[in-house]
Amino acid sequence: MANTETSLKETMAIEGAVGAALVDYTSGMALGTIGSTKEFDLTVAAAGNTDVVRAKVRTMEMLGLKDEIEDILITLGGQYHLLRLLKGRNSTGLFLYLALDKDRSNLAMARHQLKRIEAELEV
């Protein structure tokens, strides 16, 4: 089992990774971040993407969908933003957030690698 720091370092090893965070979407707080720059504040991104996750969870409840969200993809002109909701017993209410450079990444591979990192993460 990997801890938060190790998991975030593994996330940044994904081809094209720009930044990553482990986020508590009940509070909007980032429990850990890696890769922030002046142009890309991961704390702000974590809080903003919390609203995205909450909205989707609320919508699924309103629709009566009895399914689980695996991940949410936001596609920008030059980046992919992946939000991977964690499902482990101690990780309810958490998601892994990964920003990728669109030109340097393979989206399918990134999703696969995030799933593996999630499985090994112990919060």
Side-chain angles (χ1 to χ4, degrees), residues 8-64:
L8 289 175
K9 285 180 182 175
E10 288 179 20
T11 302
M12 284 302 291
I14 295 172
E15 187 71 30
V18 175
L22 177 63
V23 185
D24 177 348
Y25 67 83
T26 58
S27 68
M29 299 293 296
L31 304 178
T33 62
I34 190 168
S36 246
T37 67
K38 289 180 184 177
E39 299 82 33
F40 191 74
D41 186 331
L42 280 166
T43 305
V44 173
N49 284 305
T50 293
D51 292 336
V52 172
V53 172
R54 287 179 187 161
K56 187 58 187 172
V57 168
R58 194 170 43 252
T59 301
M60 288 181 64
E61 289 170 357
M62 290 176 4
L63 293 171

Side-chain angles (χ1 to χ4, degrees), residues 67-88:
D67 210 343
E68 294 181 337
I69 300 169
E70 288 184 13
D71 53 42
I72 298 170
L73 169 64
I74 300 167
T75 305
L76 305 177
Q79 294 180 340
Y80 294 120
H81 291 225
L82 275 172
L83 314 175
R84 174 101 190 154
L85 278 69
L86 305 186
K87 295 171 186 60

